Amino acid sequence: MNEGQRTVVIVGGGITGLTAAYYLQKAIREQRLPLTCKLVEATHRLGGKVQTVVRDGFVIERGPDSFLARKTSAFRLVKEVGLEHEIVHNATGKSYILVNGKLYPIPGGAVMGIPTRIAPFLTTGLFSPAGKLRAALDFVLPPVKADGDMPLGRFFRRRLGDEVVDNLIEPLLSGIYAGDIDEMSLMATFPQFFQLEQKYGSLVRGARRTTPKEQKERKGAFQTLKTGLQSLVDEVEKRLEPGSVIKGVRVERIVRPDSTYRLQLSTGEVWEADSVIVTTPHHVVPDMFADYPFFASFRSVPLTSVATVALAFPAKAIRQDIDGTGFVVSRRSDYTMTACTWTHKKWPHTAPPGKALLRGYVGRPGDEEIVDQSDDEIVRVVLDDLNKVMNIVGQPEFAVISRWKRAMPQYTVGHCERLAYIKRQMAAALPGVFLAGSSYEGLGLPDCIDQGEKAVHDVLEYLRPAAVERASNMYSNVH
Ligand SMILES: Cc1cc2nc3c(=O)[nH]c(=O)nc-3n(C[C@H](O)[C@H](O)[C@H](O)COP(=O)(O)OP(=O)(O)OC[C@H]3O[C@@H](n4cnc5c(N)ncnc54)[C@H](O)[C@@H]3O)c2cc1C
């Protein structure tokens, strides 16, 4: 290491780690900071859950397929690496909830299941008259007493009743978090709904007042890249400093014998670092920092296993189609699938002309065994489920099954307090070490990118006084 040079190591090369490496190296170059930034990734590829398969003209996402356009950090990163011309918005179309074996269009104006228009809720067959009346209590019930966190399910059930929650809100939210709404933390997932309730005395009133018209009409709220999200990973990787990325190497332990950190790698090597950004999922952190018992609570934070099941068909195999882009499945249905996207309709670039691409999802809390079944069995189960609402003849031309074991971190009740406690302990015992990524402050791609950027800011803040001082010393030494 050069005299005066400081080292930052980023652990994990998913989208969070990549973002952190990109922006930190950019700052080092542009501000001529006396810092070196290295990234260590356990597997032999970068991107983590972002992974695209391009086959026979199909563009198949194994993990995330898009990002929320409203949160701008993903677009910014896309632009940074010159891919903005590849951006596409999702085609809008009906999406459905499958309840008791029947598909119901999601009522117009529902924002995460909360009505912002009344008529579609009054006319939908998704809820019984009693369920609708119960939901109307939202207009008169007093706001919940603000005494900390609570399960998301309890919050919504109290305001809108069980039927609206089980038939609409739960399937929509599970589609994002693969979580159990009755275990998930209100404050870590949707604190804005709590604030709406407190401010407007009613979720519906609050959502109606604050939802922009564009969102009420559900216009293409998502974006992706025509070339696949993997192309973002590839373009970011190309821009990282040569030699700064090490793949196929795990960080096993991080200790702090003195003012610098020592990272023990799976190769037996030991690296020194002045600052570390840890972007791995939370469950590996307690072992990595075994000398620091305050990470122990991460051990009990669950992760759900899921699998995506991409099925490629000739378009004519779909004899009875549905006018829409996909559905999510309520637990009140005897289905193994949790959701399905008609990918060729939602994202027309993903299938060549004359072909159809369906993407099913399996695995949810309490029903994760399916993920361990053979590919053939998973395809059979998904096709059986699909054929209850469509008519698909024959077998797919090919299937791409992607298993994501223990992949979806569950933000259970108390998540924010747990994290705040750990961060306080880290600030005292592990100054210059920062956590970022899907286990911590949001699991959508833009949330992960935001956290990667924030970690860079934190590292520079932590190192800057010393770095600037050294830089000016170096300057005065040579002049
Ligand atoms: C099936 C699925 C669908 C999804 N759909 C969407 C979607 O459509 N839109 C959206 O916004 N989000 C979606 N998400 C969520 C989003 O993909 C993830 O939250 C995000 O990609 C996580 O990025 P990350 O960098 O934080 O973590 P990861 O991608 O998990 O990366 C962490 C990296 O750390 C590495 N690592 C672990 N341990 C070590 C170690 N000891 N040493 C070194 N490296 C280590 C891992 O190998 C991995 O590469 C989806 C997720 C899944 C699973």
Side-chain angles (χ1 to χ4, degrees), residues 2-20:
N2 294 339
E3 187 63 21
Q5 191 81 3
R6 295 211 152 190
T7 302
V8 181
V9 176
I10 297 168
V11 186
I15 194 68
T16 310
L18 275 169
T19 302

Side-chain angles (χ1 to χ4, degrees), residues 222-294:
F222 294 92
Q223 294 175 323
T224 195
L225 296 172
K226 273 185 280 183
T227 39
L229 290 174
Q230 173 78 45
S231 55
L232 175 60
V233 170
D234 296 342
E235 288 304 315
V236 173
E237 183 174 1
K238 273 187 214 158
R239 285 162 177 76
L240 298 182
E241 295 296 327
S244 66
V245 175
I246 287 86
K247 298 181 204 170
V249 174
R250 233 177 28 257
V251 174
E252 294 189 331
R253 184 67 72 93
I254 302 179
V255 292
R256 189 176 189 240
D258 46 46
S259 62
T260 54
Y261 291 95
R262 305 258 180 344
L263 288 81
Q264 295 169 16
L265 308 184
S266 51
T267 51
E269 261 179 288
V270 176
W271 281 5
E272 286 194 10
D274 299 282
S275 182
V276 184
I277 301 176
V278 178
T279 73
T280 65
H282 64 275
H283 65 288
V284 304
V285 172
D287 285 339
M288 205 183 279
F289 290 97
D291 297 348
Y292 301 89
F294 54 81

Side-chain angles (χ1 to χ4, degrees), residues 118 126 131 183 243 247 295 315 406 445:
I118 303 299
L126 197 50
E183 304 279 330
K247 298 181 204 170
F295 288 109
R406 304 190 73 205
L445 293 171

Side-chain angles (χ1 to χ4, degrees), residues 8 261 274-277 426-427 430-434 458-459 462-463:
V8 181
Y261 291 95
D274 299 282
S275 182
V276 184
I277 301 176
M426 286 175 71
L430 297 166
V433 177
F434 303 98
D458 290 342
V459 163
Y462 172 72
L463 293 176

Side-chain angles (χ1 to χ4, degrees), residues 86-307:
E86 300 292 355
I87 285 264
V88 276
H89 276 263
N90 62 296
T92 53
K94 274 190 214 153
S95 26
Y96 296 84
I97 307 274
L98 200 137
V99 183
N100 293 327
K102 199 172 159 202
L103 287 173
Y104 296 89
I106 294 178
V111 172
M112 280 297 151
I114 300 169
T116 59
R117 286 172 21 216
I118 303 299
F121 266 72
L122 290 178
T123 51
T124 179
L126 197 50
F127 320 116
S128 67
K132 292 174 190 174
L133 267 178
R134 171 61 186 86
L137 279 186
D138 173 63
F139 287 110
V140 293
L141 280 171
V144 69
K145 288 233 164 55
D147 57 356
D149 202 2
M150 69 171 83
L152 200 51
R154 193 199 307 160
F155 174 77
F156 281 123
R157 287 180 199 286
R158 178 175 172 276
R159 295 231 60 93
L160 299 164
D162 286 342
E163 224 180 297
V164 170
V165 171
D166 293 336
N167 291 3
L168 182 58
I169 295 179
E170 191 277 334
L172 287 175
L173 297 189
S174 298
I176 302 171
Y177 286 94
D180 179 342
I181 194 171
D182 294 307
E183 304 279 330
M184 281 158 67
S185 153
L186 169 66
M187 292 308 182
T189 55
F190 293 103
Q192 68 271 34
F193 291 145
F194 172 74
Q195 281 142 18
L196 281 188
E197 189 219 32
Q198 297 290 313
K199 182 161 179 201
Y200 297 95
S202 146
L203 273 183
V204 177
R205 223 174 3 246
R208 280 165 65 82
R209 298 252 175 95
T210 54
T211 307
K213 191 166 179 294
E214 184 188 294
Q215 209 182 330
K216 282 185 205 165
E217 289 167 2
R218 313 184 82 252
K219 266 188 199 143
F222 294 92
Q223 294 175 323
T224 195
L225 296 172
K226 273 185 280 183
T227 39
L229 290 174
Q230 173 78 45
S231 55
L232 175 60
V233 170
D234 296 342
E235 288 304 315
V236 173
E237 183 174 1
K238 273 187 214 158
R239 285 162 177 76
L240 298 182
E241 295 296 327
S244 66
V245 175
I246 287 86
K247 298 181 204 170
V249 174
R250 233 177 28 257
V251 174
E252 294 189 331
R253 184 67 72 93
I254 302 179
V255 292
R256 189 176 189 240
D258 46 46
S259 62
T260 54
Y261 291 95
R262 305 258 180 344
L263 288 81
Q264 295 169 16
L265 308 184
S266 51
T267 51
E269 261 179 288
V270 176
W271 281 5
E272 286 194 10
D274 299 282
S275 182
V276 184
I277 301 176
V278 178
T279 73
T280 65
H282 64 275
H283 65 288
V284 304
V285 172
D287 285 339
M288 205 183 279
F289 290 97
D291 297 348
Y292 301 89
F294 54 81
F295 288 109
S297 63
F298 278 160
R299 290 191 197 279
S300 56
V301 177
L303 296 111
T304 311
S305 297
V306 297

